[in-house]
Amino acid sequence: MLLALAVLAAGPVGVSVSQEIGYQRRAYSEDTWTWEIRPIVDRRFGPLYVSLNPVFDRALKGPGAGAGFGFSPNAQATLDLSARVTAALEYYGGFGPLNDLAPLDRSAQQILPAVDLNLGDDWEFNFGVGIGLTPTTDRLLMKLILGRRLGGT
């Protein structure tokens, strides 16, 4: 994370903010309505891309609604190996509510080496196998994103 901060501080960066209000059925999560604010700071250096995403999220309805905003920092570094293949190292963290941040050993910390395949302008593919770095995190996890872009780019 410190390396990513140093790289981003080296010059002009991209900055954006994404928001999401989501609903999930109670069978999936007791907090049925949630709100996420995701600032994104990124920079590209030729084939290398680095981004920081310090996520702030909260439950709007459910038992977690009174906990306030939580803090879940994310970061990513990718390297274009070819026009079709990109290697990635992704980090996902979770420290809980801002007013009661969990210590490192009780926080969620995950690292995922991943690969992105460029399957054309309309398709997105990402696969990663990761490990949990703290006792509260799953020891082994896999993720797969297969997406189809709709509309113009």
Side-chain angles (χ1 to χ4, degrees):
M1 183 90 120
L2 291 176
L3 174 61
L5 286 171
V7 168
L8 291 175
V13 296
V15 178
S16 65
V17 176
S18 161
Q19 288 193 78
E20 177 181 310
I21 294 178
Y23 171 80
Q24 50 273 337
R25 295 184 337 185
R26 188 170 301 282
Y28 177 71
S29 172
E30 290 185 8
D31 293 323
T32 54
W33 284 96
T34 57
W35 178 26
E36 175 182 287
I37 302 169
R38 181 184 295 265
I40 301 169
V41 179
D42 65 355
R43 181 144 187 224
R44 179 167 283 285
F45 302 88
L48 175 65
Y49 170 79
V50 180
S51 71
L52 295 176
N53 309 71
V55 177
F56 301 93
D57 53 359
R58 72 172 297 156
L60 298 174
K61 184 172 183 184
F69 279 95
F71 179 56
S72 304
N74 302 313
Q76 180 187 55
T78 68
L79 181 63
D80 295 334
L81 301 177
S82 72
R84 293 202 175 266
V85 180
T86 300
L89 185 61
E90 302 173 0
Y91 160 78
Y92 299 94
F95 288 92
L98 286 171
N99 62 353
D100 189 23
L101 293 175
L104 191 59
D105 65 335
R106 287 188 286 141
S107 66
Q109 306 294 318
Q110 303 168 330
I111 297 287
L112 281 99
V115 64
D116 295 317
L117 300 179
N118 179 359
L119 302 175
D121 292 339
D122 295 335
W123 291 95
E124 159 185 23
F125 177 87
N126 171 273
F127 177 76
V129 176
I131 58 168
L133 303 174
T134 57
T136 60
T137 311
D138 291 332
R139 289 284 170 229
L140 182 65
L141 59 118
M142 292 187 330
K143 75 166 193 152
L144 171 68
I145 299 171
L146 178 60
R148 171 93 161 99
R149 294 182 185 92
L150 303 174
T153 55

